[in-house]
Amino acid sequence: TVSGKNSYTTTLGEGDSKINEVIKEVKNNFKDIDFVLEFDFAKENIFNVISNLIDFEGLVALDLFAGTGSISFELLSRECQTVTAVEKNNAHANFIAKVAKELKTNSLHLIRGDVFRYLNTAPSKSFDFIFADPPYFMQIEEGKKLFRVEGTEFDGCDDDWDKFESMKVYTDWTRQWLQEARRILKDNGSICVISGMQSIYEIGSIMRELGYW
């Protein structure tokens, strides 16, 4: 996790019971999606920290790399005025759309497509809060090992969405979306970026370079 000026990253709030019930029901119809159960605990911890710093009620929020919308629906449960969720994966976007439909909410705006394409067209200084869960670049070079903080070995990630040719390619890519995110964040806005240990320091350095703090 990383923090910056008016920006906080950590690990997340309880959420509204009705939203949780709808999400559980809709999950049963999406057997092709591998939901990460462990993230629910992380999400609760993250929002427990952030909610001590930010009052979400009435905020205009943006969820980048939204996945299955866990963060988007958490933000809705905390009474954000609107939440824009940007997700490229079609199955994930379908899940978000289905949950939003079941909730009968007009406060969630789903953008099906590439984060960069959306950021390049979004108006400047238009969001009070941005949450981003980008790829972590968890590939392991041949002959090397990757370890978790507690010392256990990690297998890395071979999924296409997390593949980059090199750390330089990853950091250049990261700098691009963070620069645009900075542009569309209000002057008194906040941003939360989560990542893995292998890339979080690079992200923190880029955020500092771009003037987040």
Side-chain angles (χ1 to χ4, degrees):
T1 60
V2 71
S3 66
K5 168 188 162 190
N6 296 322
S7 47
Y8 316 95
T9 53
T10 335
T11 327
L12 293 194
E14 292 181 7
D16 181 78
S17 59
K18 177 185 176 182
I19 293 179
N20 289 333
E21 289 174 6
V22 169
I23 289 174
K24 288 178 182 178
E25 290 178 6
V26 175
K27 277 182 179 180
N28 294 328
N29 297 320
F30 284 79
K31 304 297 184 182
D32 56 330
I33 296 179
D34 183 18
F35 295 96
V36 182
L37 298 178
E38 293 83 357
F39 187 65
D40 288 339
F41 176 75
K43 180 184 68 172
E44 182 174 352
N45 288 333
I46 291 176
F47 272 103
N48 282 343
V49 172
I50 298 178
S51 59
N52 289 321
L53 303 166
I54 302 171
D55 181 4
F56 289 101
E57 185 175 356
L59 297 187
V60 177
L62 173 64
D63 183 11
L64 296 174
F65 312 98
T68 55
S70 176
I71 298 301
S72 295
F73 296 119
E74 184 71 31
L75 290 168
L76 281 180
S77 76
R78 292 171 184 272
E79 301 183 359
C80 283
Q81 179 181 333
T82 61
V83 178
T84 299
V86 185
E87 177 52 43
K88 185 176 182 179
N89 182 284
N90 192 52
H92 292 175
N94 286 340
F95 179 81
I96 295 173
K98 179 62 175 177
V99 174
K101 181 179 179 180
E102 293 297 319
L103 289 172
K104 296 180 175 60
T105 177
N106 295 319
S107 297
L108 189 141
H109 307 309
L110 173 61
I111 305 296
R112 297 170 178 265
D114 182 70
V115 162
F116 285 92
R117 184 176 299 175
Y118 174 76
L119 289 175
N120 289 336
T121 58
S124 298
K125 303 184 187 305
S126 53
F127 290 98
D128 300 296
F129 179 74
I130 299 175
F131 189 98
D133 184 11
Y136 295 174
F137 188 48
M138 294 187 291
Q139 297 156 61
I140 302 176
E141 294 181 34
E142 186 176 352
K144 294 187 178 181
K145 296 181 179 181
L146 189 63
F147 294 92
R148 297 184 177 88
V149 177
E150 74 277 10
T152 58
E153 189 172 347
F154 178 57
D155 292 334
C157 179
D158 293 326
D159 295 339
D160 289 339
W161 58 265
D162 198 50
K163 288 183 178 179
F164 294 84
E165 293 181 6
S166 65
M167 177 58 79
K168 183 182 185 306
V169 172
Y170 176 75
T171 54
D172 288 346
W173 177 87
T174 299
R175 183 177 290 102
Q176 281 185 282
W177 75 257
L178 276 171
Q179 187 167 15
E180 285 303 301
R182 182 87 172 90
R183 179 183 63 80
I184 66 175
L185 186 66
K186 294 180 181 178
D187 291 336
N188 62 343
S190 303
I191 184 170
C192 172
V193 183
I194 65 173
S195 185
M197 290 298 295
Q198 60 275 23
S199 56
I200 196 60
Y201 297 107
E202 292 288 341
I203 293 175
S205 177
I206 293 169
M207 292 181 76
R208 187 182 303 111
E209 170 192 323
L210 294 176
Y212 275 97
W213 71 86

